[in-house]
Amino acid sequence: QVQLVESGGGLVQAGGSLRLSCAASGRSFNLDNMAWYRQAAGKQREVVARMSPRGTRTHADSVKGRFTISRDNAKNAVYLQMNSLKPEDTAVYYCAAGGSWGAPDYWGQGTQVTVSS
């Protein structure tokens, strides 16, 4: 059974940092795209960052210069380093893997990130 298990979410003050982790099991994603999405209350789910198997990375304009996606193939994991957090970053964050660039095949359960003023 394929599972993506997220950790690292929590409450942080504006300007602080968090590092989200997502550990995959059930199959290897070394040859697949991996990504982070988020959904704020009352808003549509949006892509935050994506990373290809070869290391090509994209980040949403709203997080460029603050967030960095990375992956560790040996651990079958993907990470999101979040710095200079803002209240508008408050959302449920989801990791995703496989499928096409804009349509992942697998999703994690989500982890809450709350940034206070």
Side-chain angles (χ1 to χ4, degrees), residues 17-100:
S17 298
L18 285 174
R19 184 174 185 259
L20 304 184
S21 299
C22 180
S25 61
R27 58 159 284 186
S28 173
F29 289 95
N30 291 350
L31 301 178
D32 295 276
N33 298 312
M34 302 193 80
W36 288 94
Y37 289 73
R38 69 184 181 187
Q39 186 169 22
K43 294 192 174 182
Q44 194 91 339
R45 184 176 296 186
E46 62 177 347
V47 64
V48 176
R50 289 182 281 214
M51 191 168 185
S52 77
R54 291 291 185 177
T56 300
R57 290 184 277 207
T58 62
H59 298 84
D61 289 341
S62 60
V63 306
K64 283 182 179 177
R66 301 188 297 119
F67 293 9
T68 304
I69 188 172
S70 62
R71 63 194 295 169
D72 186 336
N73 289 337
K75 295 181 178 180
N76 206 25
V78 62
Y79 308 94
L80 185 68
Q81 179 65 46
M82 304 185 294
N83 299 324
S84 301
L85 283 161
K86 305 174 180 179
E88 51 263 44
D89 295 319
T90 295
V92 178
Y93 284 71
Y94 302 87
C95 64
S100 63

